[in-house]
Amino acid sequence: MIQKYRQAFNAAFTAEKYQQFLQELGKGFPEIPFRVAETPIFIPAALQEKLIAAGEEIIALIKQPNFKELTQKSIPAEWNVPNETGHPHFLTFDYGLCKDENGAVVPMLIEMQGFPSLYGFQTHLTHTFKSVFGIDEQLSPYFNGLNQASYFDLLKKVIIGQYEPHEVALMDLDAPNQKTAIDFFVTAKHLGIPVLALEEIKKEGKKLYYEKDGQKIQLKRIYNRLIFDEIGENTAIFEQSFDPREELDIEWITHPNWFYRISKYTMPFLQSKFVPETHFLHTLKTIPSDLENYVLKPLFSFAGMGVIIDVTPNDVAQIKDPENWILQRKVTYEPLIQAPDAGVKAEIRMMYLWPEGEEPQLCINLARLSRGKMIGVRYNKDFDWVGGTVGLMEK
């Protein structure tokens, strides 16, 4: 994308150096179960400006006084958690890199979440890319003048706040064995907070505790990485720990309801040149005649599960709950990232932190490379120059 960096990186790249990079990346951590790409993306200033502008338009909607009213039906009744906060603490917006009618690179919104992403791992990934491949030090994954130190200061303010690190825990189902566990451990290393599986947290009255070295420690905050979709109907798991849907003496960072409010459900409310035409399926009076130009997505799924790419009238007719689906105009990813043998498609996730009493701040990014029909891992098996990476920009 920034040609001088792309050409220099590709010219110096070797398979041996990539293996060294992977070894360094995993040193001191459990094995990384997802594929990390061979290269970062070098984001030019013009694209950076468009990504920032697209995010500002979305945030304007989220900050509207009626946003909660607009999105109230997004929260499944069985997963509504009490004591919701006034705003989320994390925002992540995923954009496919495309070309407009004039041939200019343009980001198009694919997905959005009011839920944390790999806020720790992306710093570690950047550092390892730079140290192994000798990437120019003036290239940075950070926005708004942040560097690694000031970024972690902000992350600490959002996640730990006024509490002591031992009073705040990163929590997920079977946390140490999640696919994103390396992000958990990098975060814990920098912030000093424990990483706890759901089942390690116990309830007494309305208070939550965990044990360490035989001592019972009360939790004041949970840095929540638990997605309720992963639990499904297996709610018996709460009997061994606690039920998040109960009234509890705990602060959520971020509150679980925001996972639903800021999601595919939000996209039909957005009108922007950076957002593909999107409709709730049940609101359409007539189904478009050119269904081949649309994708059908379930509202309540994650990681691309259930998405129908090549839509037919029969697919639409088979949907029994159209209020839980969106029909979205297809986005054509452009193979803009030059691998040694061909162009590769890319998606960039813009990652924001939103401290209490302040404005949301764009901080860092995540990127994914793809040669498959979709971006996800299962669509890119047996390919190289695909997988998770990071976008680097000139300071």
Side-chain angles (χ1 to χ4, degrees), residues 128-382:
T128 310
F129 263 130
K130 285 189 169 188
S131 65
V132 173
F133 288 100
I135 293 171
D136 195 318
E137 270 306 310
Q138 74 149 336
L139 291 168
S140 171
Y142 303 105
F143 297 87
N144 290 312
L146 292 171
N147 55 33
Q148 180 168 308
S150 58
Y151 169 73
F152 273 109
D153 286 344
L154 181 59
L155 192 65
K156 184 176 182 179
K157 178 163 73 170
V158 170
I159 294 175
I160 298 177
Q162 63 182 326
Y163 300 108
E164 295 298 319
H166 67 270
E167 297 176 313
V168 182
L170 187 157
M171 184 271 287
D172 200 349
L173 283 176
D174 192 19
N177 297 308
Q178 284 283 346
K179 284 187 177 180
T180 54
I182 189 168
D183 176 68
F184 300 173
F185 294 127
V186 172
T187 302
K189 177 181 174 182
H190 282 274
L191 302 190
I193 62 176
V195 173
L196 298 179
L198 173 72
E199 52 270 28
E200 292 180 275
I201 300 174
K202 306 301 178 185
K203 181 170 78 84
E204 290 185 10
K206 291 186 177 181
K207 299 185 185 302
L208 300 181
Y209 297 88
Y210 69 99
E211 285 195 7
K212 182 181 180 182
D213 301 328
Q215 297 293 312
K216 201 162 66 170
I217 300 171
Q218 183 184 347
L219 282 173
K220 304 291 182 64
R221 270 187 174 182
I222 289 177
Y223 174 30
N224 182 44
R225 303 300 292 267
L226 172 64
I227 295 174
F228 289 149
D229 295 40
E230 293 186 9
I231 293 174
E233 297 180 2
N234 186 30
T235 54
I237 192 169
F238 295 146
E239 296 172 9
Q240 308 303 316
S241 180
F242 73 99
D243 190 330
R245 299 165 297 182
E246 295 179 0
E247 284 280 352
L248 298 166
D249 186 10
I250 197 74
E251 293 180 14
W252 293 98
I253 306 294
T254 194
H255 192 281
N257 288 1
W258 287 105
F259 174 81
Y260 296 105
R261 289 193 185 278
I262 299 171
S263 63
K264 292 187 285 287
Y265 192 95
T266 320
M267 294 188 67
F269 301 111
L270 289 164
Q271 304 296 320
S272 167
K273 64 182 179 181
F274 302 116
V275 180
E277 174 195 346
T278 307
H279 303 276
F280 292 112
L281 189 58
H282 73 288
T283 65
L284 286 173
K285 302 244 184 331
T286 58
I287 300 301
S289 58
D290 60 336
L291 274 177
E292 68 276 8
N293 293 320
Y294 290 81
V295 291
L296 197 54
K297 296 181 177 181
L299 287 173
F300 304 114
S301 74
F302 65 105
M305 298 295 289
V307 174
I308 301 172
I309 304 171
D310 300 311
V311 188
T312 67
N314 186 56
D315 291 324
V316 176
Q318 293 295 317
I319 301 296
K320 299 290 190 268
D321 55 343
E323 69 280 4
N324 293 327
W325 291 74
I326 55 171
L327 190 68
Q328 185 178 86
R329 184 166 285 277
K330 275 183 181 174
V331 166
T332 302
Y333 290 71
E334 198 71 23
L336 296 166
I337 313 305
Q338 191 59 49
D341 60 339
V344 177
K345 295 176 285 188
E347 195 170 277
I348 295 179
R349 173 173 294 174
M350 303 289 271
M351 298 160 59
Y352 300 72
L353 291 170
W354 195 341
E356 289 291 342
E358 299 183 27
E359 293 295 307
Q361 186 170 337
L362 177 58
C363 296
I364 197 168
N365 74 86
L366 176 155
R368 290 180 288 188
L369 301 183
S370 171
R371 297 180 192 249
K373 205 165 192 178
M374 289 177 69
I375 289 287
V377 173
R378 62 185 172 281
Y379 300 99
N380 286 277
K381 289 177 180 174
D382 305 320

Side-chain angles (χ1 to χ4, degrees), residues 9 74 87 119 206 261 315 353 381 386 390:
F9 184 92
S74 68
H87 63 73
Y119 282 84
K206 291 186 177 181
R261 289 193 185 278
D315 291 324
L353 291 170
K381 289 177 180 174
V386 299
V390 65

